[in-house]
Amino acid sequence: MKYAGFALVIALSACGERTVSTVVPDDTAATLALGRAALHGQPRDLPRARAYFARAAQDGSGAAAYYLGVLAERDPAERIRWLTIAAERGEPHAMFLLGNAYRSGAGVPRDDARALAYYAQAAEAELPAALQTLAMAYRSGELGLAPDEDEARRYEMEAGHALDHPPPEP
Amino acid sequence: MFLRRSIVVAALALAACGDNTRAIEPATPDGPRPPDAPSQPDAAPPLPAGSTLTFGVLETTDLHTNVRAYDYFKLAEDKSIGLERTATLIAQARAELPNSVLVDNGDTIQGTVLADYQALIAPVGCDQPLAIYKVMNALGYDVAGIGNHEFNYGLGYLAQVTHTAFDVTGVNTSGAVACKGPTFPQVLSNVFSKKTDQPIFAPDAIVTRTVRVTTPDGQQRDATLKVGFLAFAPPAIVTWDKRWLDGVVYTKGVQETAPALVADLRARGADLVIAIIHGGLDNKPYAPELENQGWYLAQVPGIDAVLLGHSHQVFPNAASTAPQFNLPMVDKALGSVAGVPAVMANFWGQHLGVMAMHLTWDGTAWTHDPAATIVEARPIATTCKTGQPLACTTGTWATGATCPFATACTGLADKAKVYVDADPSVAPLVETEHQGTITYVKTPIGTTDFAMTTYLADVGEVGAIQIVNQAQAAYVAAYVQQNLPQYAALPVLSVSAPFKSGFQGGNDYTSVAAGGVAINNAADLYLYANTVYAVKVTGADLKAWLETAALRFAQIDPTKTTDQPLINPGFPGYNFDVVTDPDLSYEIDITQPLPPMGQPASGRIKNLTWKGQPISPTQEFIVATNNYRASGGGGFPGLDGSKTIYAAPDTNRDVLIAYIKAHPSLTRAANGAARSWHFTRVETAGNVVFSSAPAALAAAQASSIAGISQLAADDGSGKGLALYAIDLAP
């Protein structure tokens, strides 16, 4: 418990102003916090970070799966695999990155419909970047959408409102 | 002991409601509603068992000072928002449900420029209610909760505008009680003074209403109904508004506070207990500081209805895929949580939450059948499809009442939008404040000696971008120096993009004329609702960032004699991130190819230097940007949320406005000439062409962008654009 609390303190200070709102005092949260601390440390300790994230991901953490995805920058297949796991575990930032991947065909075949579905999922979780993406897509007619100024405005308003209460950083 | 103390506190707090001409026990309403009949004296015949009552609970939430249907940044009407339209739905719901209470769920006094105007620019005096409270008084709200944004302007301000005395350290609110404010009680159950351990608002309230019931013989008669309220703000206010609240107040969760308050309300004769929570639903393991405790609140015994808010959603909504509405025990079609009717009415006045509860008098108490409650969130606007309004395809609301859009879509095309009329009584109440805010938005906060436009942003013009970068960089640098000493030695850059670069046509550009720069101009310079984010990147990351931005340009074949387009139409201008820093320099070589699909951009950024030296791949920089870009918006490699070192609470637009106020004399020399990037010069056999506004040629001359000529006054697209060429020759 004390160890978990200490780890959380590091995580909180490493995250700057962001509050870690999912304060769940268990081992997985502590391992995740240690992973973040290693990732954001000066100097950064990537192998250590990966090890912690792997452990937490094994325990079911969506945030850990997200980090393993973004840290697999050089291995597109591995990146997609971990981000998909994270998305399945409800991590909105991973959903958003998968939307990007399907949009640009990076690591997966290009698929506007799947990109849109992932963006919509992240938007339902109120990720401002996803709401903004949809707003822009409706404004300019992207991702196979017909331009729709009313929908653009609606998503724009939701993005602005969601800035206040976005999903917690992973 | 706590119960008795809380009753005393509640009574004192209620008495402190200044000019509240409507007492709470019993309630006699103020405002434009027909007066209730006086309470029945003890000699009245007892109400027969089996008497029934349909009781309405109406909710607004997250109004954020959107009184008028108006966008103060755009200085234009916006009919999709505004209490002036929700007011029409309120009147209609009251006609349908004459026995009802109207409740607001907080995040009321902050949000639009009107809020800042009244809090900071032309501070509202003690002799005036806030504009939004004026309207809410006129509409006869019965009770309101307090949201997190109520604390944004500090406790002194909140005390004054709610005419409530807070007994807290460091803030003298004794004069607040005498100020004008809401004529309805405001309740907050979970925020306590550190000094006294007492709640800073009344922790609960009873609204007593005379209601018209139907006796078993079909007759109508009056009876008294006592409706108890408790209300919760997100416990994290102490973090979000740390500067005002740290060490001054503390918060508790619903499990710690609700049960005793429910017992208190029942002991005081409440027939119904309604819980207002400025929060949504979350079934994560309970912790007192959980942000959205609605799911747990609904499970506290003795609560008859829950009003939700804070998140932007609409509930009930049978089609919703929102995670919070697909939790166990949540009925998103009927609108209940753990069997308790629940509603969430969106934000900015777009919806009115309506619950129609069916109560039966059993001889000693009113009983409520949750299964017979109808809950819906009614919108102020809807879209038409095959001549029907999507919000009420049957022409009626779920309660069976005629919906105002019933015939509005007849003869209209699909996707046409229809709106309820604004309630004409609202606008006159706030005309002074509304016009004052407009004047404020139009009043220069600075001047510029040059026209700040994005007509030529694609070919090097930085006039509308540099000021944004300067504001962002200064803001982040100050934060880092104060709070992130481990990064204090790193250089701070900024990137921004032209948000408007003509996609929609000749008017789709940022354009601030030389002369005064006002707040609406700042909103033109920074278009989106973003918050400032700072990321830490390496030289390699930075290069990859700029390579991706350079995808803005098509590949140019220097030997081709026919016209070649400069711009890659597949890459939007709003992703053309540029640095505008005199110490950073790079070239973009557009003779280099675009990458194959799905592959990262490379090969176009040349001679990337910092302070005259080539940037090493491992050198570190802090880059100020926004939440969209830092989270992965635009698909920039390496920008995926993991490099963020600071997620600021302030919006980029507000940071820009503050910067202009602090540096009000903008000049091209200081704020519009830092061109960090140039095209790699190359002789081309033919023209390299691009479209822009007709005014671009003059802009080129004014900003010394060389090599621009106009080929045609009309590029033939029908979008009000002219055709230009750029000469890339050395």
Side-chain angles (χ1 to χ4, degrees):
Chain A
M1 255 332 258
K2 215 163 94 170
Y3 186 66
F6 179 65
L8 287 165
V9 166
I10 296 174
L12 287 165
S13 56
C15 293
E17 284 287 296
R18 293 312 272 168
T19 47
V20 178
S21 73
T22 53
V23 178
V24 178
D26 64 14
D27 282 345
T28 308
T31 310
L32 188 59
L34 288 166
R36 284 195 212 101
L39 179 65
H40 294 296
Q42 285 287 89
R44 132 194 301 215
D45 187 342
L46 270 184
R48 203 170 187 133
R50 279 204 179 89
Y52 284 128
F53 290 138
R55 169 83 184 281
Q58 232 174 10
D59 292 343
S61 164
Y66 156 87
Y67 278 111
L68 289 170
V70 306
L71 290 177
E73 269 176 317
R74 292 206 187 88
D75 185 339
E78 191 66 356
R79 180 170 186 268
I80 296 295
R81 186 173 84 82
W82 279 116
L83 290 178
T84 305
I85 290 170
E88 279 159 11
R89 291 179 181 173
E91 175 43 69
H93 297 81
M95 295 166 195
F96 183 64
L97 294 180
L98 284 169
N100 287 347
Y102 281 100
R103 180 178 204 165
S104 63
V108 287
R110 234 191 103 211
D111 186 336
D112 270 354
R114 270 193 103 161
L116 206 52
Y118 272 119
Y119 287 138
Q121 215 188 339
E124 277 294 287
E126 301 197 63
L127 186 67
L131 291 161
Q132 183 170 339
T133 298
L134 291 171
M136 287 155 141
Y138 275 110
R139 175 150 292 125
S140 306
E142 300 166 1
L143 294 164
L145 295 168
D148 187 333
E149 186 53 33
D150 285 334
E151 283 292 272
R153 176 80 187 113
R154 180 170 81 84
Y155 279 109
E156 209 172 57
M157 294 199 296
E158 294 198 358
H161 195 247
L163 281 178
D164 250 1
H165 47 267
E169 300 286 316
Chain B
M1 185 54 194
F2 172 73
L3 273 178
R4 212 173 306 135
R5 251 203 341 225
S6 68
I7 291 169
V8 169
V9 166
L12 283 174
L14 293 167
C17 287
D19 77 336
N20 181 355
T21 56
R22 176 178 47 197
I24 308 310
E25 287 208 71
T28 48
D30 229 2
R33 285 206 321 248
D36 285 357
S39 323
Q40 299 302 302
D42 289 341
L47 192 61
S51 297
T52 59
L53 166 67
T54 300
F55 190 71
V57 185
L58 311 180
E59 186 208 29
T60 57
T61 186
D62 293 79
L63 291 173
H64 282 289
T65 68
N66 286 281
V67 179
R68 300 294 312 276
Y70 197 79
D71 183 329
Y72 290 102
F73 283 124
K74 299 201 170 111
L75 294 173
E77 186 187 37
D78 184 350
K79 294 194 293 191
S80 57
I81 57 175
L83 182 56
E84 62 177 334
R85 280 190 163 76
T86 344
T88 300
L89 294 182
I90 290 168
Q92 292 173 355
R94 280 169 162 164
E96 174 199 344
L97 298 162
N99 304 303
S100 64
V101 284
L102 175 60
V103 185
D104 181 70
N105 194 347
D107 270 10
T108 316
I109 70 172
Q110 176 277 348
T112 67
V113 189
L114 170 64
D116 281 350
Y117 177 73
Q118 292 209 279
L120 306 169
I121 307 302
V124 63
C126 183
D127 62 336
Q128 287 274 313
L130 281 179
I132 192 161
Y133 284 155
K134 280 188 195 174
V135 174
M136 292 170 75
N137 288 345
L139 293 176
Y141 271 77
D142 291 287
V143 67
I146 300 285
N148 49 294
H149 280 286
E150 263 62 63
F151 296 94
N152 286 169
Y153 297 113
L155 288 171
Y157 182 76
L158 181 60
Q160 178 198 320
V161 299
T162 64
H163 49 197
T164 310
F166 302 139
D167 194 356
V168 296
T169 49
V171 189
N172 182 356
T173 64
S174 52
V177 172
C179 294
K180 297 280 188 174
T183 52
F184 46 88
Q186 292 173 292
V187 177
L188 186 55
S189 311
N190 67 326
V191 180
F192 302 85
S193 161
K194 270 216 153 112
K195 182 175 154 198
T196 63
D197 288 324
Q198 295 305 307
I200 62 170
F201 282 93
D204 60 13
I206 289 189
V207 172
T208 301
R209 301 300 303 277
T210 304
V211 291
R212 184 127 283 208
V213 310
T214 304
T215 46
D217 59 0
Q219 298 297 308
Q220 304 257 293
R221 59 163 281 188
D222 286 344
T224 298
L225 190 75
K226 295 191 172 197
V227 188
F229 290 92
L230 43 164
F232 300 89
I237 54 168
V238 291
T239 304
W240 299 337
D241 276 290
K242 193 164 55 165
R243 63 179 161 153
W244 307 119
L245 304 180
D246 193 26
V248 181
V249 304
Y250 62 92
T251 55
K252 293 187 184 178
V254 300
Q255 288 189 347
E256 294 76 48
T257 50
L261 293 170
V262 171
D264 174 55
L265 289 168
R266 296 286 178 195
R268 284 156 61 198
D271 298 299
L272 284 178
V273 173
I274 298 178
I276 308 166
I277 179 162
H278 194 81
L281 305 175
D282 188 349
N283 72 337
K284 271 199 289 290
Y286 179 81
E289 57 275 1
L290 190 64
E291 184 172 344
N292 295 291
Q293 299 188 10
W295 194 77
Y296 287 100
L297 183 58
Q299 296 178 63
V300 172
I303 288 179
D304 295 301
V306 176
L307 306 184
L308 303 166
H310 184 55
S311 48
H312 76 290
Q313 310 276 4
V314 174
F315 183 87
N317 177 1
S320 175
T321 55
Q324 67 165 317
F325 298 151
N326 289 281
L327 299 178
M329 298 200 287
V330 175
D331 187 332
K332 66 185 180 184
L334 292 178
S336 69
V337 178
V340 176
V343 71
M344 187 188 289
N346 210 5
F347 62 102
W348 299 0
Q350 296 176 78
H351 283 72
L352 176 71
V354 177
M355 278 186 191
M357 305 171 89
H358 293 279
L359 310 180
T360 308
W361 179 251
D362 71 2
T364 45
W366 283 102
T367 63
H368 160 229
D369 179 11
T373 301
I374 297 175
V375 186
E376 54 186 331
R378 299 176 177 175
I380 60 172
T382 190
T383 316
C384 301
K385 192 169 183 190
T386 55
Q388 297 294 331
L390 283 177
C392 48
T393 47
T394 59
T396 64
W397 295 124
T399 55
T402 307
C403 96
F405 308 112
T407 56
C409 286
T410 311
L412 294 188
D414 282 4
K415 298 212 169 172
K417 204 158 174 195
V418 291
Y419 306 84
V420 294
D421 291 335
D423 180 332
S425 73
V426 171
L429 295 173
V430 297
E431 184 63 4
T432 306
E433 297 90 335
H434 178 62
Q435 292 303 333
T437 305
I438 290 173
T439 302
Y440 165 61
V441 169
K442 289 180 175 173
T443 303
I445 52 173
T447 59
T448 173
D449 75 355
F450 67 108
M452 307 170 84
T453 70
T454 53
Y455 301 138
L456 297 169
D458 283 328
V459 294
E461 168 65 72
V462 299
I465 302 171
Q466 184 175 340
I467 186 68
V468 173
N469 277 336
Q470 287 172 317
Q472 290 177 175
Y475 178 86
V476 166
Y479 181 83
V480 168
Q481 291 302 312
Q482 285 272 341
N483 299 285
L484 302 174
Q486 67 273 36
Y487 302 136
L490 298 181
V492 176
L493 300 173
S494 175
V495 298
S496 193
F499 300 114
K500 295 189 278 183
S501 34
F503 182 79
Q504 314 272 9
N507 291 323
D508 188 22
Y509 289 92
T510 297
S511 173
V512 179
V517 179
I519 290 197
N520 62 310
N521 299 127
D524 195 21
L525 290 166
Y526 204 97
L527 189 62
Y528 295 120
N530 286 145
T531 45
V532 176
Y533 269 47
V535 294
K536 184 168 71 75
V537 297
T538 62
D541 294 328
L542 181 63
K543 187 161 195 228
W545 194 333
L546 300 174
E547 288 283 2
T548 304
L551 295 174
R552 176 64 173 158
F553 307 105
Q555 182 184 11
I556 300 303
D557 176 354
T559 66
K560 207 162 173 196
T561 55
T562 47
D563 288 356
Q564 297 177 77
L566 171 69
I567 300 299
N568 168 11
F571 191 92
Y574 58 72
N575 282 338
F576 180 45
D577 278 2
V578 298
V579 180
T580 55
D581 190 315
D583 289 329
L584 191 110
S585 183
Y586 56 109
E587 285 177 31
I588 300 180
D589 181 354
I590 58 175
T591 65
Q592 300 304 308
L594 297 170
M597 188 193 342
Q599 295 302 311
S602 68
R604 291 184 152 195
I605 302 298
K606 306 270 168 79
N607 299 323
L608 178 61
T609 61
W610 168 250
K611 298 198 178 212
Q613 298 301 314
I615 289 178
S616 91
T618 53
Q619 187 172 0
E620 289 193 315
F621 297 87
I622 294 173
V623 182
T625 176
N626 58 63
N627 64 295
Y628 172 75
R629 185 68 78 236
S631 308
F636 285 69
L639 291 179
D640 48 24
S642 67
K643 297 194 165 62
T644 301
I645 60 165
Y646 177 40
D650 293 313
T651 66
N652 297 69
R653 182 191 289 148
D654 283 344
V655 166
L656 173 64
I657 288 170
Y659 187 83
I660 294 173
K661 285 183 177 180
H663 307 82
S665 301
L666 305 181
T667 64
R668 187 179 289 283
N671 310 103
R675 295 184 59 187
S676 288
W677 74 270
H678 292 75
F679 287 116
T680 300
R681 313 302 298 180
V682 58
E683 186 84 47
T684 60
N687 288 324
V688 177
V689 302
F690 65 99
S691 295
S692 187
L697 193 58
Q701 285 149 6
S703 58
S704 314
I705 305 270
I708 307 295
S709 57
Q710 192 180 89
L711 296 182
D714 184 341
D715 73 349
S717 67
K719 297 204 282 185
L721 295 163
L723 190 67
Y724 298 88
I726 178 169
D727 183 359
L728 297 171

